[in-house]
C-alpha cells in the first residue's frame, strides 16, 4: 500500500511538533509506505479560541501555522519569533483587562486580519486558508469547525455563592496555570457545531489517520466531540493510529493532568489509549493502534488486551529526526511493514 493522504487531528504544541517531524520524515522518505509527495491534512482544535480586545484568537491553528511556516518562537513553542510586546504594555497602562494573555505585536497582525475577514463574513476555514497563503505550512490546515466552540472549566471557588466558578480554558491554563483541580470541562457550543468543510471528507478519504500526542481532553477530545467526527473515524477505511502524550505516568512538558482527572481517566499511556478505544470491539472507539513510550513498555499487554495493536518506542519529540522516527513507528504499526527499531 502506498499512503498518499494522511489526516492528523491536532492541538497546538504537541500536534505541531509531531507534524513537523512527520513532514520531515515524509520528505526524507523515512516513513514506511508513505510516498514522498503525500498530502497531509490537519484538522485543528478550535475550542481553545477566544475573543479578546475585540480580536478573534485561535491558539492551536496559529501554533500549527507558525510552527510549520517557520514563524514560531522556538523557545516558547507558541507565538511569533522575535516578538515585541508594546501593545500588551499599552493596554495594561490603560488598565484594560485581561493582562495575563500573551498578545505579541507581530502576532496581533494575524488576529487583526482574521477578525476583519470574519467581520466581512468569511468562515474561519476560509480565513485560515487565507492566512496560510502567507505561511505555506506544507499541509492543508482546517479548523475542526467554523462554529464558535469554547472550552470552559469549572473550578472550586469558596467566594462564589455556588462554591464554584466557570472560567474560559485559556484563563484556567494561562492565568491559573491549571494549578487548581478542574471539576469538570464544559465545551460550550460543541453539540450544536458542525464540522468545517472538508473535515469529514479528509477523514473518510484518507489512507491513514493519526492522533498525534496532543491533549486527549481539550485538543483531540474536543475535535472528536464535533458531531460527525467520531463516526467518520469509526467508519473510514483508513487505519487510525494514535501516539501517547502521557509518558511514564505524566504529560510531557505539561500541566495537563487535571484535564484527564476531570473526565475520570487515569494519567497513564494505556488508560489514554483505552479511553480513545478500539474501533473494532467498542461502540465509541476510534483507534486501531496505539503507540506508547519505551518507558511504558509494561503497559503494552494491557493495550493489546483491549484489542489495539501496540508497541513501545521512544516518544520524546526532542528534535525532528526523533519525531520523524515516531511517525515512522506509528505508520509501521498499522501497515505491517515489519519490525520497528526499538519496538517490543
Ligand atoms: P496544546 O494545544 O498547545 O496544549 O498542544 P497539544 O494538545 O497539541 O499537545 C499537548 C500535549 O503534548 C501534552 O499532553 C503533552 O503531554 C504532549 N507532548 C508534548 N511534548 C511531547 C513529547 O515530546 N512527547 C510526547 N509523547 N508527548 C508530548
Ligand atoms: Ca490548545
Amino acid at each position: 500500500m502506498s499512503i498518499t493522504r494522511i489526516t492528523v487531528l491536532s492541538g497546538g504544541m504537541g500536534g505541531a511538533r509531531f507534524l513537523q517531524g512527520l513532514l520531515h520524515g515524509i520528505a526524507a522518505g523515512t516513513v514506511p509506505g508513505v510516498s514522498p509527495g503525500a498530502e497531509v491534512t490537519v484538522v485543528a482544535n478550535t475550542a481553545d479560541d477566544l475573543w479578546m480586545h475585540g480580536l478573534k484568537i485561535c491558539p492551536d491553528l496559529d501554533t500549527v501555522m507558525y510552527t510549520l511556516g517557520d514563524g514560531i518562537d522556538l523557545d516558547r513553542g507558541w507565538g511569533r519569533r522575535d516578538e515585541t510586546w508594546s501593545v500588551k504594555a499599552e493596554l495594561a497602562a490603560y488598565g484594560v483587562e485581561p493582562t495575563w494573555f500573551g498578545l505579541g505585536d507581530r502576532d496581533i497582525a494575524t488576529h487583526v486580519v482574521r477578525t476583519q475577514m470574519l467581520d466581512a463574513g468569511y468562515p474561519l476555514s476560509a480565513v485560515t486558508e487565507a492566512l496560510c497563503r502567507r505561511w505555506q505550512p506544507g499541509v492543508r490546515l482546517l479548523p475542526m469547525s467554523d462554529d464558535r466552540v469554547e472550552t470552559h472549566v469549572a473550578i472550586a471557588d469558596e467566594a462564589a455563592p455556588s462554591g464554584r466558578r466557570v472560567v474560559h480554558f485559556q484563563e484556567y491554563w494561562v492565568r491559573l496555570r491549571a494549578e487548581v483541580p478542574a471539576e469538570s470541562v464544559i465545551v460550550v457550543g460543541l453539540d450544536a457545531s458542525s464540522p468545517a468543510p472538508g473535515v469529514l471528507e479528509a477523514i473518510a478519504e484518507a489512507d491513514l489517520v493519526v492522533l498525534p500526542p496532543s491533549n486527549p481532553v481539550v485538543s483531540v477530545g474536543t475535535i472528536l466531540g464535533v458531531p460527525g467526527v467520531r463516526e467518520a473515524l469509526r467508519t473510514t477505511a483508513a487505519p487510525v493510529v494514535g501516539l501517547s502524550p502521557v509518558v511514564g505516568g505524566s504529560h510531557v512538558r505539561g500541566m495537563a493532568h487535571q484535564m484527564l482527572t476531570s473526565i475520570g481517566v487515569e494519567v497513564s499511556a494505556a488508560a489514554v489509549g483505552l479511553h480513545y478505544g478500539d474501533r473494532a470491539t467498542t461502540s465509541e472507539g476510534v483507534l486501531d493502534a496505539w503507540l506508547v513510550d519505551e518507558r511504558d513498555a509494561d503497559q503494552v499487554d494491557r493495550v493489546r488486551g483491549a484489542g489495539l495493536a501496540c508497541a513501545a518506542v521512544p516518544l520524546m519529540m526532542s528534535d525532528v529526526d526523533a519525531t520523524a522516527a515516531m511517525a515512522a513507528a506509528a505508520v509501521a504499526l498499522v501497515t505491517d511493514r515489519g519490525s520497528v527499531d526499538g519496538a517490543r
Side-chain angles (χ1 to χ4, degrees), residues 120 226 248:
V226 176

Side-chain angles (χ1 to χ4, degrees), residues 11-13 45 48 59-60 169-170 218-219:
M13 287 196 249
N45 172 49
D48 290 7
D60 289 0
F169 174 72
Q170 293 297 345
V218 291
S219 293

Side-chain angles (χ1 to χ4, degrees), residues 127-157:
V127 176
T128 303
E129 196 181 333
L131 293 171
C132 284
R133 253 174 246 138
R134 170 179 176 196
W135 291 102
Q136 298 289 318
V139 298
R140 187 160 67 110
L141 180 58
L142 306 176
M144 67 185 199
S145 177
D146 280 334
D147 301 322
R148 183 171 178 170
V149 175
E150 282 187 15
T151 300
H152 292 204
V153 178
I155 56 172
D157 182 357

Side-chain angles (χ1 to χ4, degrees), residues 53 55 84-94 103-105 108:
H53 308 301
L55 300 173
T84 55
W85 307 90
S86 301
V87 174
K88 188 172 186 242
E90 289 294 313
L91 287 166
Y94 281 111
L103 210 48
D105 300 334
I108 283 172

